[in-house]
Amino acid sequence: MQVRKNVLTLSIVAALSVSGIAAAQDKPADQKAKDLDAVVVTGIRGAMEKSLDVKREAKAHVEVVSAEDIGKMPDKNVADSLQRLPGVTISSAGASEGGFDENDRVSMRGTNPSLTLTQINGHSVASGDWFVLNQSDNAGRSVSYTLLPSTLVNQVIVHKTYQAKLQEGGVTGTVDIKTRQPVEFAKQFTGNVSIGGVYSDLPGKTDSQFSALLNYRNAASTAGILLQVFDENRSLRRDGVEVLGYDQISNKAGDPTKPVADAHPDLNGVWYPRMIGAALFEQKRERRGGLLEVQFKPTDNFSIDLSGFVSKLNASNYNRNYLLYNPRTIGAGISPAAGYVVRNNTLVSATIPGAAGTQYGLYDMIARPDEKASTTYLALDADWKASDALSLNFKLGTSTGHGETPTQDVAEWRVGGTGASWGLNGIKNAASFSLNESTAAPQPNLALDWIFGLQNLDIVDKDKWGQIDAEYFVDKGALSSLEFGVRFTNHDRSSENVIAQGPACIDSSGNVVGFDWSQTNWCPVGTRSPADRANFPSTFQNYPGGFGSGFGGSFPSNVWYYSASDMHAYNQLTTRDPVGRRYPVYEFGLKEKTKAAYLQFNLEGDRWNGNIGVRLVKTSQDVLQYLAGGSASTTGSINTAWGYFTPQLVSNNYTDVLPTLNFKFDLSDTLVARVAATKTIARPDYSALAGGLSLSPPSSPNDVGGGSSSNPNLRPIRSTNFDAALEWYYAPRALLSASVYYMDLSSYIGQGQSTQQFLTFDQAHPNGYMGNYLVTSPINTKGSVKGLELAVEQPLGENFGINANVSFTDAAESNGKPLVGASRNVFNLVGYYENSHLNARIAYNYRSHFFNGLDRRSAFNQDNTQSVSASVGWTFNDNFSVSLDGMNLTNEKLRYYADNKDQPRDIYQNGRQYYLNFRFKF
């Protein structure tokens, strides 16, 4: 139904375009030229015209977004602006943590974000992630756009086809974010200040937003300095009902669910939900930083630019999840009562009868008071026109990113009454479940199950680069110039001294002492125990009123919880010993060195131009990880509570030859055709090469846990690409375009699984046992992507306009499995109005479902998403304006599912956001 709506909308757009074309063609060509010269447009219209001019003149296939004014992009987030472009998609999650209220990742043409290279001013940028799982387990090469405020941006150029002179690393393309240069400002002194606030309706809070720009250049435009700063705060709340994976009932010998399969043969091979929870996530985001740029142009032939950028995102958060826990019901061999329902080979409805000694629920409280991410860079860029024929560009720089989780205050509580039940309601409504107890306050049977949580996690990402690019103008026949250059990089990524906390007995001097498992509360007499109810926090709060409103289903909503500060105090009853509790499973080192050289022939003829080139790249990788095993005599081994760990170094080298071909043909004054054939590479995700081993423990020695690990022997993603485009610039600020593309992924990275054993601790096994885990690891495979993109930009009279685009993608691995991040259909529609005082815009985005990888041994697919945003602004004069932006105006919910839509995973709601800003120019 949604696709039919999109097609209908596109048909309406096309009809409007035809009317605009006819009107334009009624005028003689010379009159149209005079009209274009006579009208100077700014704001929305000026930005669109500038973007189309850059796109049209480009020698390869690009898309462009331009700022409407100094410090004013079309959207509050750069990723939001990019999603309006054909073939570009966005995601509000870095991996499988579920989406939030701000778009975080950008990808192109049916591939995952790691296959799109993001640059700032043509150089790399290291990045960190604020979410703990994305820092180590799911760390890709994509950049988190939550660290990049839109106020810094002058223009974004999306390269859809590769040229030999471009840095390698983006299989599908490159996003190059351009900032302003000091000497290019029209006035000697320019100031711009934006003051405002954002109201987030789900948490019901208002937070401040501030940014400022100061620029000075001398009268001769030979020197200038630019300073931009930002301080942006926002409160976030996400309501969710989560289904954390699916397990399968089996009659195989030794399987813990065999008693269920034996008692109910119709359930053999049926999938059941592992955990179902009511999850409340709250966060405060504080993004602060700035850009300083100094530019000198002492002669017409030489200029030098030094820029430094820093962005820090403080992202303290608190996640609570009240869970029905089936590993200790069906997973422990307890059969459901009569009347259960199986649909699509899934146990969608069941009641677990009450039985003494059975645990039905868990309640996770995880506070991360100082979680954060940051990125910085220092870059030197110099241009030298050595002669009339030779121009040189020099780049030298370094960039550092951090993803940090210094502290996690955690408790996992045993909850639940007698018996439990659930009902899965597809993906439109939340799953229903009950633990047959009141959730308004802690119950008398509340008990501690365990305390876990990584501490001192700091993923450090460092990139250093140096490059020289040259262009030699030949102007002989069809050869206009030769471009050539070299580039060297050192990239380091590391995680060190990670601590895995656990519960501890604390004596009167504050020291950790050993457990006494003969005692009810685990600890020796006279010590403080985390299992002693007397040490539980004494006060509690409840989920906000209206939690999960509009989700459908029936689930606990008025759920009690301890405050984050109480959790911090309670977690003093833990051990975070940096020696004994060191956890090398999450420690690694990656050193990656690249050397690249290229040669590109730029060609030009009558109404055509193009380039043919080749780039040679050599990559060297050293991956250090710690593997379980070894002894005191093993070189480099580490002795921990989990036994010995031994370092393993894996080194790999590979060389790639990347030929490129791009041609542009001016078929007429308004019609442009482009063709391209290229070979591209992207290196494997950091966590795929050297990430932490993430484990979800089994409930007992007979259960099977889940996990994910890395593979240091992965080959890079390699693709041979073909692209063809037709662009019709039929009127001023107007475009009708179509493009087709095909990508042959001769080397891709998919997922494989293997059963492994790891030492596992829980309350019942304080000394540990060797538990079985089904571990998912990346492997090399093959795949392909093909697609079609259609776009139209149509001004309607002097003040109105629309633009729309639709993308169709067919992507799969060679074994038929879906590619991560590939949506079959993406559609965008934007309408705007602008005059000298008023500007207004409304934007609609639709993206069809896509596969997002594996999570807890189960598929993680995101269902179709759509969003509506709008902005309105009033310009009082050249110095003062006001704007109001609304995001997620239709309050859409994010829905996820496993293998089919009778296996829901999550449903989330983040609410709407409203930004009010006052802008002053001087």
Side-chain angles (χ1 to χ4, degrees):
M1 177 64 71
Q2 185 65 55
V3 173
R4 287 198 293 269
K5 288 181 181 178
N6 290 346
V7 173
L8 175 61
T9 305
L10 192 60
S11 301
I12 295 171
V13 171
L16 290 171
S17 302
V18 170
S19 65
I21 296 166
Q25 289 180 340
D26 286 342
K27 292 185 179 183
D30 58 345
Q31 182 60 47
K32 286 188 289 183
K34 291 177 181 178
D35 291 347
L36 180 60
D37 291 337
V39 178
V40 178
V41 290
T42 58
I44 296 174
R45 295 166 295 168
M48 294 179 67
E49 183 174 329
K50 183 178 179 182
S51 297
L52 287 182
D53 286 345
V54 175
K55 175 181 174 66
R56 182 173 182 172
E57 295 302 318
K59 293 186 172 146
H61 192 181
V62 302
E63 305 289 349
V64 184
V65 179
S66 298
E68 297 167 8
D69 200 349
I70 298 171
K72 178 77 168 69
M73 283 289 285
D75 298 275
K76 299 303 297 181
N77 181 301
V78 178
D80 291 330
S81 297
L82 292 174
Q83 76 170 333
R84 320 278 184 227
L85 301 175
V88 178
T89 52
I90 52 88
S91 173
S92 57
S96 56
E97 73 272 22
F100 294 98
D101 65 353
E102 183 176 12
N103 288 320
D104 188 33
R105 293 299 198 274
V106 171
S107 57
M108 295 169 58
R109 293 185 159 177
T111 60
N112 72 66
S114 291
L115 304 190
T116 297
L117 178 66
T118 295
Q119 298 179 311
I120 298 180
N121 296 326
H123 63 72
S124 304
V125 55
S127 181
D129 283 286
W130 64 264
F131 185 58
V132 59
L133 295 182
N134 293 342
Q135 290 167 355
S136 57
D137 303 340
N138 302 309
R141 291 183 182 259
S142 59
V143 170
S144 174
Y145 279 70
T146 59
L147 289 167
L148 304 177
S150 63
T151 54
L152 298 178
V153 180
N154 181 40
Q155 193 172 74
V156 183
I157 300 178
V158 178
H159 298 269
K160 286 186 169 180
T161 60
Y162 185 59
Q163 300 178 69
K165 66 180 180 180
L166 297 178
Q167 179 186 340
E168 76 287 345
V171 161
T172 53
T174 299
V175 176
D176 192 4
I177 299 171
K178 302 290 188 181
T179 61
R180 288 175 175 79
Q181 292 189 307
V183 301
E184 293 180 353
F185 279 74
K187 298 179 179 180
Q188 279 190 255
F189 180 78
T190 301
N192 185 301
V193 175
S194 176
I195 301 174
V198 53
Y199 173 74
S200 303
D201 72 346
L202 197 57
K205 295 181 179 180
T206 300
D207 296 287
S208 63
Q209 301 270 297
F210 172 82
S211 65
L213 176 150
L214 297 173
N215 188 82
Y216 171 79
R217 65 163 179 82
N218 62 7
S221 293
T222 58
I225 183 169
L226 167 68
L227 174 65
Q228 291 185 261
V229 295
F230 53 89
D231 186 339
E232 301 171 335
N233 305 291
R234 191 162 55 83
S235 297
L236 184 152
R237 171 182 146 195
R238 185 179 76 175
D239 296 355
V241 174
E242 302 177 335
V243 180
L244 301 181
Y246 286 84
D247 290 335
Q248 194 171 31
I249 299 169
S250 172
N251 62 5
K252 294 180 180 179
D255 193 287
T257 64
K258 188 177 188 303
V260 179
D262 290 343
H264 304 276
D266 59 317
L267 290 180
N268 183 43
V270 169
W271 296 90
Y272 65 95
R274 185 174 178 86
M275 291 175 270
I276 307 175
L280 172 65
F281 180 93
E282 293 178 301
Q283 184 179 53
K284 183 63 177 292
R285 295 188 181 183
E286 300 170 332
R287 181 171 62 189
R288 300 186 176 99
L291 170 71
L292 178 64
E293 189 161 354
V294 180
Q295 188 176 13
F296 297 98
K297 194 175 181 180
T299 71
D300 291 340
N301 297 328
F302 182 75
S303 68
I304 188 168
D305 185 292
L306 179 65
S307 61
F309 170 72
V310 59
S311 178
K312 296 184 177 181
L313 177 68
N314 295 323
S316 61
N317 61 84
Y318 189 14
N319 191 47
R320 287 131 287 179
N321 203 352
Y322 180 86
L323 293 153
L324 184 154
Y325 192 66
N326 274 328
R328 292 177 184 169
T329 59
I330 289 181
I334 299 175
S335 294
Y340 56 80
V341 177
V342 175
R343 185 169 58 245
N344 212 351
N345 203 40
T346 304
L347 188 58
V348 299
S349 178
T351 298
I352 306 299
T358 301
Q359 180 190 345
Y360 301 93
L362 285 177
Y363 189 2
D364 286 349
M365 298 180 190
I366 307 175
R368 305 178 182 101
D370 43 13
E371 203 159 42
K372 66 193 76 168
S374 65
T375 183
T376 64
Y377 72 74
L378 181 65
L380 180 69
D381 197 314
D383 287 302
W384 177 36
K385 188 175 181 181
S387 68
D388 290 341
L390 179 63
S391 295
L392 297 167
N393 174 263
F394 306 88
K395 283 185 171 68
L396 187 69
T398 181
S399 181
T400 302
H402 287 264
E404 300 177 63
T405 303
T407 309
Q408 293 192 90
D409 296 317
V410 181
E412 191 168 61
W413 309 101
R414 291 190 171 197
V415 294
T418 302
S421 60
W422 77 84
L424 305 182
N425 304 309
I427 63 171
K428 295 302 180 183
N429 294 307
S432 301
F433 74 96
S434 172
L435 294 179
N436 296 331
E437 71 169 359
S438 171
T439 61
Q443 297 301 294
N445 65 341
L446 179 71
L448 176 67
D449 190 78
W450 202 245
I451 295 176
F452 58 90
L454 298 178
Q455 315 290 318
N456 197 43
L457 191 65
D458 181 8
I459 310 299
V460 183
D461 193 51
K462 294 183 178 180
D463 195 47
K464 298 178 181 178
W465 66 88
Q467 71 182 69
I468 302 174
D469 299 285
E471 184 170 14
Y472 184 75
F473 294 91
V474 179
D475 198 20
K476 289 185 178 180
L479 181 62
S480 61
S481 69
L482 236 117
E483 292 187 75
F484 50 95
V486 294
R487 189 174 196 271
F488 303 92
T489 70
N490 283 344
H491 195 108
D492 295 336
R493 189 175 178 89
S494 62
S495 173
E496 299 176 349
N497 301 315
V498 179
I499 301 168
Q501 76 168 356
C505 307
I506 307 298
D507 66 16
S508 58
S509 300
N511 299 314
V512 175
V513 297
F515 288 110
D516 181 355
W517 295 103
S518 67
Q519 300 295 322
T520 302
N521 293 326
W522 316 349
C523 292
V525 175
T527 63
R528 298 179 66 217
S529 166
D532 186 350
R533 285 186 61 93
N535 293 322
F536 292 1
S538 58
T539 61
F540 65 88
Q541 302 173 34
N542 292 84
Y543 280 16
F547 170 83
S549 175
F551 278 2
S554 176
F555 50 86
S557 57
N558 183 31
V559 183
W560 68 272
Y561 66 88
Y562 296 132
S563 70
S565 58
D566 282 344
M567 286 294 297
H568 182 69
Y570 176 71
N571 268 239
Q572 303 311 301
L573 300 176
T574 63
T575 173
R576 297 174 180 176
D577 177 15
V579 178
R581 302 294 298 189
R582 184 174 171 183
Y583 199 48
V585 167
Y586 274 86
E587 297 185 23
F588 56 84
L590 169 65
K591 292 184 179 295
E592 185 177 85
K593 295 183 178 181
T594 68
K595 300 176 182 178
Y598 72 90
L599 178 64
Q600 179 171 305
F601 298 89
N602 296 322
L603 308 173
E604 191 170 348
D606 185 20
R607 305 187 70 87
W608 68 271
N609 60 60
N611 57 72
I612 299 174
V614 63
R615 189 177 186 93
L616 181 66
V617 186
K618 181 179 180 180
T619 304
S620 301
Q621 292 174 336
D622 295 317
V623 177
L624 175 68
Q625 292 181 287
Y626 289 89
L627 303 182
S631 65
S633 61
T634 305
T635 302
S637 65
I638 299 172
N639 188 16
T640 75
W642 293 269
Y644 280 93
F645 287 83
T646 300
Q648 173 184 269
L649 180 66
V650 177
S651 299
N652 284 296
N653 299 279
Y654 50 86
T655 301
D656 288 273
V657 179
L658 307 176
T660 65
L661 179 150
N662 291 269
F663 278 98
K664 170 190 172 187
F665 303 93
D666 293 316
L667 303 180
S668 71
D669 290 342
T670 59
L671 192 62
V672 175
R674 303 180 189 273
V675 293
T678 63
K679 187 173 182 179
T680 54
I681 66 164
R683 298 174 184 93
D685 282 349
Y686 299 124
S687 59
L689 289 169
L693 174 65
S694 174
L695 297 176
S696 178
S699 61
S700 69
N702 293 325
D703 189 22
V704 178
S708 60
S709 68
S710 57
N711 179 355
N713 290 306
L714 288 171
R715 299 188 303 275
I717 301 97
R718 295 184 171 105
S719 181
T720 302
N721 316 299
F722 302 94
D723 182 279
L726 193 63
E727 303 163 1
W728 185 20
Y729 301 87
Y730 55 84
R733 304 197 316 275
L735 169 68
L736 188 63
S737 67
S739 60
V740 294
Y741 58 89
Y742 176 76
M743 300 170 54
D744 179 14
L745 296 164
S746 59
S747 175
Y748 183 69
I749 296 177
Q751 297 289 334
Q753 291 184 318
S754 62
T755 300
Q756 302 179 34
Q757 287 192 327
F758 298 94
L759 189 62
T760 304
F761 296 86
D762 60 21
Q763 180 181 338
H765 305 86
N767 296 318
Y769 66 93
M770 294 306 295
N772 293 312
Y773 291 79
L774 186 63
V775 179
T776 300
S777 304
I779 58 173
N780 281 109
T781 181
K782 297 181 180 181
S784 64
V785 184
K786 54 187 175 183
L788 168 68
E789 299 164 354
L790 303 172
V792 61
E793 297 194 24
Q794 173 64 56
L796 302 173
E798 185 59 35
N799 304 108
F800 288 94
I802 58 173
N803 61 67
N805 61 73
V806 61
S807 302
F808 305 97
T809 303
D810 183 9
E813 292 185 30
S814 56
N815 56 16
K817 293 181 180 180
L819 292 188
V820 173
S823 292
R824 180 169 287 273
N825 303 306
V826 178
F827 175 72
N828 291 285
L829 177 64
V830 179
Y832 64 88
Y833 172 83
E834 183 180 50
N835 62 27
S836 59
H837 290 287
L838 175 67
N839 65 81
R841 175 183 14 232
I842 185 167
Y844 170 80
N845 171 262
Y846 168 82
R847 180 181 183 183
S848 64
H849 67 87
F850 61 96
F851 176 60
N852 210 19
L854 296 175
D855 173 68
R856 293 175 175 86
R857 299 182 296 170
S858 298
F860 197 73
N861 292 283
Q862 182 165 355
D863 192 36
N864 308 337
T865 61
Q866 59 183 357
S867 65
V868 175
S869 62
S871 64
V872 61
W874 183 267
T875 301
F876 292 89
N877 52 48
D878 291 342
N879 303 109
F880 178 57
S881 63
V882 61
S883 63
L884 176 65
D885 298 85
M887 311 295 291
N888 190 28
L889 293 177
T890 51
N891 198 22
E892 298 295 330
K893 299 173 180 62
L894 302 176
R895 297 176 170 89
Y896 302 82
Y897 59 93
D899 289 331
N900 58 69
K901 294 187 178 182
D902 283 316
Q903 294 183 353
R905 288 299 308 265
D906 308 322
I907 181 171
Y908 294 120
Q909 180 172 272
N910 289 287
R912 307 173 182 87
Q913 302 86 46
Y914 302 94
Y915 294 82
L916 178 64
N917 284 280
F918 300 91
R919 300 178 67 244
F920 306 88
K921 295 170 62 178
F922 51 90

